[in-house]
């Protein structure tokens, strides 16, 4: 196999992006059938499709997990990665996008271009994935491909080029070709190359129409892919591969899916991650839930690897100066802002439930499973209610656990508005540690960072590193509502250890107490998650929307008219906008729609109200003490936070 591999054309991964029900699964089946990758055509309504293999997906008839399959066309291998369509799974869709060479954006030509499709197109642009538009369901009597195309041109803000492409239209999207065209001196090849160039750079979005159901237009779609994605031979080079998915197979084995950008991966390759060594066992080429083993993976391939336990979505496998390593995490744009409490209904204890949720979190890192010690609650972060239904079925089908979820609620966070000192001292008998910190407000979205201004003569590097570890090892709670602290720079100003008495864990106590003591003195700010939104309504309803937005503490840019519709872009709190899609659909009689994307945290619009409602008493939170412990005559005693500063042993900074 490997002798002719270097002659192999670079394989390609493609994905189908669409709103739920546009026909993704049906089109995937049709593509696999047309290319001979599957012998029988599966159907969504019969639940026998090659993709959508998970039981939950078959039962519900919607795609939740990005599944994949391999087919050949035009002498080239393609990996087809199916992506979830529901907004609650936009995070999964974004992770899959990072692995694509091109995306087919599927739009139901009987239903029009929904904001969700607009969002997917925007995410594709962000990840530099070229997009091909397929107008589906043209077999339906009420389909209107022409109108859908007009809508697409406006809403996607793209230069649409209907295929087969007219040279005049291609000349409008590619300058190099324009010259040849004007001189009347060009070949079909020139025109195709120009279109491919415009497609790959994002300057043009080619359009095809047809029916995934009847198979009309599917051959043309495949030919278009061959034409639009330039041919490249597989080249040698240092390894660079990106993890886009982590799954457990039917036997519970962890499978890490990677897309190889350059270089090659072989079974038994080893990778280092810090001081850990990870070894690849198998390379799997997946077709739905079945796979074949391969003896190598080359550029363009999207394969599953077994044997790795560390890498998560967004991580890379790289070959830097001969050493194979697992590196860096990529920040994905779609972040959940809601949390729900998980309760087992069948007597499963909390730690067993946590363990299973951690397995799901390994596959979906944004799930952010946490245990709130103060309330003894298990929380998961989610995008919306549909995701909760899926989680519930997953817990049942994979682990036999019957669980229920509370309605999702907004996750607040806290930060500070001005620098403040924080003092912590921990000295029960035969223990000793002191940490003096300065907390400074940091940029929105930057999280917690650490820095040291403390001289190593005053506190050794080891202890300083220990303090750093304690700063990062858990979420620190704010004093307004007990929500997670964020966007704070923690600066170590001074610290002291004892030659004999400092034990492991003492600096943890001192550091936690110092942060907490600082917060008690700080100007605290409550933060809440915000959405960036795009609302599309018939002009008659735009007035209503423009008065609703400020009433929900939102803001918007000047509205734009798009044909008969008005587009309003803006930003507002998740708490007030969470149910607006429903309201909008109802008062526009289904004509209007909205797309919401997480846009980070910002000052809470109704902080007073939330603080009162939460009823959090920082002094009563015994898990997060702000006081210090000193020692006198062989016994430890508590010094309350508001008296702690003057008791500290480290000399005060000038
Ligand atoms: P997905 O949610 O995007 O994966 O969409 P599915 O492939 O599950 O299709 C949703 C529904 O639309 C199913 O009932 C399909 O049979 C139907 N469907 C998909 N493509 C077409 C098409 O081209 N024409 C017609 N008439 N129905 C289609
Ligand atoms: Mg589907």
């Amino acid at each position: 196999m490997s002798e002719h591999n270097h002659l192999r054309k670079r394989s390609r991964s493609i994905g189908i992006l669409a709103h739920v029900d546009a026909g993704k699964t049906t089109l995937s089946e049709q593509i696999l059938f047309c290319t001979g990758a599957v012998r029988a055509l599966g159907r969504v309504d019969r639940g026998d499709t090659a993709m959508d293999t998970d039981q939950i997906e078959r039962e519900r008839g919607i795609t939740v997990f990005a599944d994949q399959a391999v087919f050949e066309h035009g002498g080239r291998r393609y990996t087809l990665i199916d992506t979830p369509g529901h907004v609650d799974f936009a995070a999964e869709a974004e992770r899959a996008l990072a692995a694509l060479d091109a995306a087919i954006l599927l739009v139901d030509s009987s239903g029009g271009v929904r904001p969700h499709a607009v969002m997917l197109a925007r995410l594709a642009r962000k990840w530099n994935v070229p997009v091909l538009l397929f107008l589906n369901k043209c077999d339906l009597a009420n389909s209107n491909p022409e109108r859908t195309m007009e809508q697409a041109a406006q809403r996607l803000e793209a230069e649409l080029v209907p295929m087969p492409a007219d040279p005049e239209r291609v000349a409008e999207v590619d300058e190099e070709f324009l010259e040849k065209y004007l001189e009347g001196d060009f070949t079909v090849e020139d025109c195709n190359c120009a279109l491919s160039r415009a497609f790959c750079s994002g300057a043009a979005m080619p359009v095809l129409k047809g029916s995934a159901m009847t198979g009309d237009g599917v051959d043309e779609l495949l030919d278009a892919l061959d034409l639009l994605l330039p041919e490249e031979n597989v080249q040698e080079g240092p390894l660079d591969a990106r993890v886009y998915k982590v799954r457990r197979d039917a036997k519970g084995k962890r499978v890490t899916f990677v897309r190889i950008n350059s270089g090659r991966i072989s079974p038994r390759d080893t990778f280092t991650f810090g001081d850990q060594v990870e070894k690849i066992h198998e390379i799997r080429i997946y077709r739905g839930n079945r796979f074949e083993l391969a003896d190598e993976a080359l550029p363009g391939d999207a394969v599953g690897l077994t044997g790795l336990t560390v890498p998560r979505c967004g991580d890379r496998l790289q070959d830097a100066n001969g050493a194979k390593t697992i590196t860096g995490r990529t920040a994905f744009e779609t972040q959940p802002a809601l949390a729900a409490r998980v309760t087992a209904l069948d007597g499963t204890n909390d730690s067993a439930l946590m363990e299973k949720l951690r397995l799901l979190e390994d596959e979906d890192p944004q799930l952010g499973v946490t245990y709130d010690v103060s309330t003894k609650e298990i929380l998961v972060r989610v995008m919306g209610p549909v995701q909760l239904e899926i989680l519930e079925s997953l817990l049942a089908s994979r682990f036999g656990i019957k669980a229920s979820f509370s309605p999702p609620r907004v996750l607040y966070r806290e930060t500070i508005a001005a620098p403040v000192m924080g003092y912590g001292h921990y000295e029960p008998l035969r223990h000793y540690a002191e940490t003096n910190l300065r907390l400074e407000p940091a940029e929105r979205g930057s999280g917690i960072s650490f820095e040291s201004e403390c001289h190593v003569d005053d506190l050794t590097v080891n202890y300083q590193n220990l303090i750093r570890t304690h700063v990062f090892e858990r979420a620190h709670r704010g004093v307004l509502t007990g929500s997670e602290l964020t966007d704070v720079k923690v600066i170590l100003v001074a610290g002291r250890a004892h030659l004999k008495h400092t034990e492991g864990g003492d600096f943890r106590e001192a550091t936690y107490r110092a942060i907490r003591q600082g917060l008690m003195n700080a100007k605290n700010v409550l933060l809440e998650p915000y959405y960036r939104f795009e609302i599309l309504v018939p002009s008659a309803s735009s007035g209503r929307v423009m008065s609703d937005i400020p009433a929900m503490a939102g803001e918007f840019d000047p509205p734009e008219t798009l044909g008969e519709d008005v587009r309003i872009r803006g930003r507002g709190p998740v708490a007030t906008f969470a149910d607006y899609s429903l309201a909008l659909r109802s008062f526009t009689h289904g004509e209007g729609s909205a797309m919401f994307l997480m846009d980070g945290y910002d000052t809470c619009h109704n902080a007073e109200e939330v603080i009162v409602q939460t009823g959090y008493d920082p002094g009563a939170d015994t898990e997060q003490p702000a006081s210090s412990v000193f020692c006198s005559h062989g016994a430890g005693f508590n010094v309350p936070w508001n008296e702690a500063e003057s008791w500290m042993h480290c000399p005060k900074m000038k």
Side-chain angles (χ1 to χ4, degrees), residues 19-23 106-114 133-152 155 208-213 590-591:
H19 189 271
V20 68
D21 272 349
L106 197 60
V107 167
D108 177 349
S109 59
S110 69
V113 182
R114 311 270 189 87
L133 183 64
F134 189 80
L135 308 175
N136 193 30
K137 303 199 184 179
C138 290
D139 60 304
L140 290 176
N142 65 341
S143 80
N144 192 341
E146 283 68 38
R147 188 180 133 73
T148 312
M149 185 126 113
E150 272 171 40
Q151 261 189 359
R155 296 187 181 174
L208 288 108
K209 55 186 178 187
S211 161
M213 179 86 112
E591 292 289 310

